[in-house]
Amino acid sequence: MISNRHWATANGLQYTFLGLMSLGWWLCCGNFFFSIVVNSIPTLVPMMLNENGSSNKLIGFAVGSLPALLNVLINPIVSTASDRTRTRFGRRIPWLLASTPLVALSLVFTGWSPQLGAMVGEAFSGLTPQLGALMMVVLAGTMFQLFNLLFDPVFYCVANDVLPAEVRGRVIAAMGIAGTLGGYVLNKYLVPLSGNGIQWVFTGIAVCYLIGLYGLCFFVREGNYPPPEPLPERDGPLARIELYFRECFSFPIYRWVFLAVALNVASTTCRTMYYLLFARQTLGLSLAQYGEVTGNCGLLTALLFFPAGIIIDKYHPVPVYFAGCLLIAASNAVAFFTVSDYPSFYVLSIAIAITYVLQNASNRPLLMAVFPAERFGQFCSANAMTFAITLIFANVGGGIFIDWFGYQYIFVWDFIFTLAGAFAALMMMREWRKHGGRNFTPPLK
């Protein structure tokens, strides 16, 4: 029987064909709901802030820079601690079990924050309902980011720990499809609904997220891990910090990876926060039109993820990531000069979404291929810390940039940072080839 034969192993786990299908299903379900959540905040919260009188600079700080600062402080601690966690449930799942309900509650709070803030504004002299709503939205968004940082760094490590190497590329591609479909559902169906009932949209997202991620926690089993390496004899905070930075930043290959990812993440800040405002205020699109365009972009992207996964398996994620950078820069240059109405917005949004497929599909396999498996969470946290520091300045800087030049310059921002990211990716590829290319062994000592 096909279901009784062992097809692959990972960390002591032996998978049958049906076991691999079940594992892939729950990883995809988790990524689907996680994608809806992480995209709902930068898509909908800027609109909530804008409706309550916020400037683009404040939007950039509240939605981008402040969460990035929290990321710098919390991500390395959580990721490195999860690497060293040992329980009968695994090293990642206990973190997900504890953080998932906190994230769900913060989503509900975010959805209802304008109403709660307006009530606070009416209750206290010196405040107005609008100012109270603005303050409460910022507070709710910050709480979400804080709780999500207990979940996000660990979630991305689960697949690396439980997936057999033989099927990793295909399952990661399937997870990418699921995540893209989550973005499609958000933009196609939930964004149009948010105009009249954003509080119920966030509440519904929270309930689905709780069910989907707890399903992953209960049905995905982690394997056996060797005991963590002993900490330095001179144990203490300073010794641990020194060891962390020495391991993560000593080799050029890792520094170029961190920089390439940071610049490419920074390139999307203006698009993430202001694309909806650009569509509504500059082009005059309705929420339904915006949802139609971005939803269909997500659906097309989902269809292309699996072919992209095949390309990544054939050519390796390092060169594919570099090629994606070049395509993204070119598409943004064209978009800046041509997007002026609904039809051009539709066509260029699809073109840009297509160019992002290679980069998005190769991002996680790139990290899995380059970072040491035994310290994967630690190196992912160093990567996250680097791009978070970049985002602290890029989000506020992007808001100021848009205030100065207008929403059309979203494409200019993306072009400049992506081109810089392409250079870093080129240097990363040179180091990768120096260390063996396809026979790359992660340097550590």
Side-chain angles (χ1 to χ4, degrees):
M1 293 290 292
I2 190 172
S3 62
N4 292 328
R5 184 161 65 89
H6 291 151
W7 279 55
T9 62
N11 285 324
L13 295 171
Q14 293 185 326
Y15 291 102
T16 64
F17 176 78
L18 293 181
L20 285 174
M21 294 294 292
S22 175
L23 173 65
W25 166 260
W26 285 111
L27 289 174
C28 288
C29 281
N31 209 40
F32 174 81
F33 292 111
F34 182 62
S35 175
I36 293 177
V37 168
V38 297
N39 286 294
S40 65
I41 297 298
T43 299
L44 297 176
V45 170
M47 182 177 67
M48 297 165 69
L49 293 171
N50 180 264
E51 290 174 349
N52 286 284
S54 173
S55 67
N56 289 319
K57 182 167 65 175
L58 178 58
I59 291 173
F61 174 77
V63 179
S65 296
L66 183 57
L69 177 60
L70 293 173
N71 199 351
V72 172
L73 300 174
I74 297 173
N75 193 315
I77 298 172
V78 172
S79 298
T80 305
S82 73
D83 278 346
R84 302 184 64 83
T85 298
R86 298 292 185 272
T87 72
R88 66 189 183 93
F89 300 107
R91 62 176 178 175
R92 315 292 187 188
I93 297 299
W95 289 84
L96 303 187
L97 285 169
S99 58
T100 294
L102 298 175
V103 174
L105 287 173
S106 67
L107 284 168
V108 176
F109 179 35
T110 300
W112 291 91
S113 59
Q115 291 88 340
L116 295 173
M119 294 170 57
V120 171
E122 291 176 351
F124 292 91
S125 60
L127 291 178
T128 64
Q130 186 182 57
L131 181 58
L134 184 64
M135 294 171 59
M136 196 65 72
V137 172
V138 172
L139 175 62
T142 303
M143 286 185 62
F144 165 80
Q145 299 294 349
L146 181 63
F147 293 139
N148 190 52
L149 281 170
L150 301 177
F151 177 94
D152 189 339
V154 180
F155 175 75
Y156 282 118
C157 296
V158 172
N160 184 70
D161 287 354
V162 302
L163 279 176
E166 305 93 300
V167 298
R168 183 174 289 166
R170 281 163 286 181
V171 176
I172 293 298
M175 290 177 65
I177 293 172
T180 305
L181 289 175
Y184 168 77
V185 170
L186 172 70
N187 289 301
K188 177 75 173 180
Y189 299 106
L190 301 182
V191 168
L193 291 175
S194 65
N196 296 318
I198 197 167
Q199 67 272 29
W200 295 112
V201 169
F202 272 108
T203 302
I205 290 173
V207 172
C208 293
Y209 171 84
L210 187 65
I211 294 172
L213 270 300
Y214 261 13
L216 182 149
C217 291
F218 288 122
F219 290 101
V220 171
R221 187 162 64 94
E222 293 190 67
N224 300 315
Y225 306 104
E229 292 186 7
L231 293 170
E233 293 182 6
R234 187 170 57 90
D235 193 9
L238 292 180
R240 296 184 187 185
I241 292 172
E242 186 273 334
L243 177 64
Y244 175 92
F245 279 93
R246 176 159 45 83
E247 290 183 340
C248 294
F249 292 91
S250 292
F251 293 92
I253 177 69
Y254 301 133
R255 297 197 295 267
W256 285 117
V257 171
F258 299 153
L259 184 60
V261 172
L263 290 170
N264 281 286
V265 170
S267 74
T268 65
T269 54
C270 287
R271 182 186 312 282
T272 300
M273 292 186 293
Y274 307 119
Y275 208 47
L276 175 57
L277 296 176
F278 166 64
R280 296 189 72 189
Q281 298 187 13
T282 301
L283 302 181
L285 273 61
S286 66
L287 284 173
Q289 287 176 313
Y290 176 84
E292 178 78 16
V293 172
T294 53
N296 288 339
C297 287
L299 186 60
L300 178 61
T301 300
L303 296 175
L304 295 175
F305 246 96
F306 198 77
I310 296 174
I311 293 173
I312 291 165
D313 282 340
K314 182 176 182 180
Y315 294 104
H316 198 276
V318 170
V320 171
Y321 188 86
F322 171 65
C325 294
L326 298 180
L327 291 173
I328 292 168
S331 65
N332 275 280
V334 174
F336 175 71
F337 293 104
T338 56
V339 175
S340 59
D341 52 19
Y342 178 66
S344 60
F345 179 77
Y346 206 137
V347 172
L348 268 298
S349 293
I350 289 177
I352 292 172
I354 292 173
T355 62
Y356 265 102
V357 170
L358 283 181
Q359 189 182 89
N360 291 338
S362 61
N363 185 286
R364 201 178 303 174
L366 167 69
L367 304 185
M368 291 179 176
V370 174
F371 293 163
E374 64 272 24
R375 291 177 176 82
F376 187 73
Q378 174 183 324
F379 275 78
C380 283
S381 74
N383 177 60
M385 180 176 62
T386 304
F387 74 65
I389 292 173
T390 306
L391 288 179
I392 291 173
F393 301 99
N395 282 291
V396 173
I400 296 172
F401 183 80
I402 296 302
D403 278 337
W404 283 351
F405 296 105
Y407 292 118
Q408 186 82 22
Y409 279 76
I410 287 171
F411 304 109
V412 174
W413 178 276
D414 202 333
F415 173 81
I416 293 171
F417 276 87
T418 303
L419 207 59
F423 174 77
L426 176 63
M427 300 303 294
M428 169 191 69
M429 188 162 59
R430 291 180 60 184
E431 291 294 324
W432 170 71
R433 286 173 176 164
K434 287 181 183 178
H435 287 275
R438 287 182 172 272
N439 297 316
F440 176 82
T441 299
L444 193 56
K445 294 181 181 179

